[in-house]
Amino acid sequence: MTEARPFCADLSRQNDEPLAATASRIDHWFLIEYRGLWTRDALPGSGLSDQVKQHLRDQVSSVRHGRLLFVRRPDRRRRP
């Protein structure tokens, strides 16, 4: 029989760590459907042109708490 592991919140309380406001606040998501490959840092690691990359950076920086996210629809992988 395995010993029950404590919850993360319980460990944080024991260590006097703050429990609120530790996650990033994102109010505006920019979802880009992109079929190509990208790296961990999606925008610089994509094959998009420099002009498109700059346009996306401008769009994201135009709002507070914005984030860019690349997405891929699996049902479109093998379609032209």
Side-chain angles (χ1 to χ4, degrees), residues 43-54:
L43 191 56
S46 70
L48 296 172
S49 71
D50 291 339
Q51 294 85 358
V52 172
K53 290 177 184 179
Q54 187 57 52

Side-chain angles (χ1 to χ4, degrees), residues 6-17:
F7 289 106
C8 295
D10 294 332
L11 293 174
S12 291
R13 275 190 210 94
Q14 290 173 6
N15 291 308
D16 258 349
E17 295 175 345

Side-chain angles (χ1 to χ4, degrees), residues 7-8 17 19-21 25 27-28 34 37 44 47 50 56-57 60 65-67 71 73:
F7 289 106
C8 295
E17 295 175 345
L19 297 179
R25 177 178 174 180
D27 293 332
H28 303 279
Y34 183 69
L37 301 175
D50 291 339
L56 291 171
R57 283 186 198 100
V60 173
H65 307 293
R67 175 146 320 151
V71 296
R73 290 180 51 184

